[in-house]
Amino acid sequence: MANITLGGTPVETSGNLPSIGSQTPDFKLVATDLSIKTLEDFKGYSLVLNIFPSVNTGVCAASVRHFNTKASQLENTKVLCISRDLPFAQDQFCAAEGLEDVVMLSDFKTGAFGKDYGLIMVSGAFDALLSRSIIIVDTNGKVIYTEQVPETGQEPNYKAALEAL
């Protein structure tokens, strides 16, 4: 279990991020059109997994906006923004913000993604939501960078994440 904070209060997570050099665990996540997306759907692309508690919070929204701005500049790369928000909320957010270069995915059905990736907050006010994390995956499906933000209210290190690509 990782130990992070939310507003300075300690929070535990369900596990640890996948290790660098490991094969990325498969997933089944729900897209905004309610289709199921798996790792196979993104085969051959480098991936930025931008994971956060809820797009309806300021820092989470900022990370989606930031990666949307950068996504169109990244060659052979997909930015997957993953939360437990309902796909309808994710779609409405992107429509209202005019965001078209990120792929919004939800772990609302089973929470399996959060469990498999060790990201579920298991204590604190955001219990059952995903912790703010970045995972970079190369075109061969290997994890090449991870960051679990130590204070949930802080933004990730965008520069380090993008440099890992």
Side-chain angles (χ1 to χ4, degrees):
M1 287 189 186
N3 291 303
I4 59 174
T5 59
L6 174 61
T9 303
V11 173
E12 290 182 353
T13 65
S14 60
N16 295 304
L17 294 174
S19 27
I20 293 175
S22 68
Q23 192 65 34
T24 305
D26 199 6
F27 55 75
K28 287 184 181 177
L29 295 165
V30 182
T32 57
D33 65 1
L34 302 181
S35 65
I36 300 298
K37 299 293 182 187
T38 67
L39 189 59
E40 184 70 21
D41 291 312
F42 304 101
K43 187 175 182 175
Y45 288 98
S46 293
L47 300 176
V48 176
L49 306 184
N50 175 34
I51 305 154
F52 49 87
S54 175
V55 76
N56 289 315
T57 65
V59 177
C60 300
S63 73
V64 175
R65 285 186 203 103
H66 184 88
F67 280 119
N68 183 74
T69 300
K70 299 295 182 189
S72 62
Q73 302 165 18
L74 301 172
E75 191 173 317
N76 197 42
T77 301
K78 298 283 185 184
V79 177
L80 311 182
C81 294
I82 304 167
S83 69
R84 297 205 67 195
D85 291 305
L86 291 175
F88 312 112
Q90 293 175 332
D91 191 43
Q92 288 172 347
F93 172 80
C94 287
E97 296 280 333
L99 306 180
E100 298 178 350
D101 293 320
V102 293
V103 178
M104 299 297 283
L105 298 170
S106 177
D107 190 30
F108 86 98
K109 278 194 173 186
T110 65
F113 172 84
K115 290 174 194 164
D116 294 345
Y117 281 68
L119 298 170
I120 298 174
M121 290 186 268
V122 295
S123 63
F126 284 6
D127 182 37
L129 296 179
L130 303 176
S131 65
R132 185 177 320 288
S133 304
I134 303 294
I135 300 172
I136 306 294
V137 179
D138 72 10
T139 56
N140 297 313
K142 298 276 186 198
V143 175
I144 59 172
Y145 174 88
T146 63
E147 176 191 9
Q148 189 165 45
V149 179
E151 166 54 50
T152 304
Q154 295 175 339
E155 293 184 58
N157 186 340
Y158 302 114
K159 183 179 178 188
L162 293 171
E163 285 176 354
L165 289 167

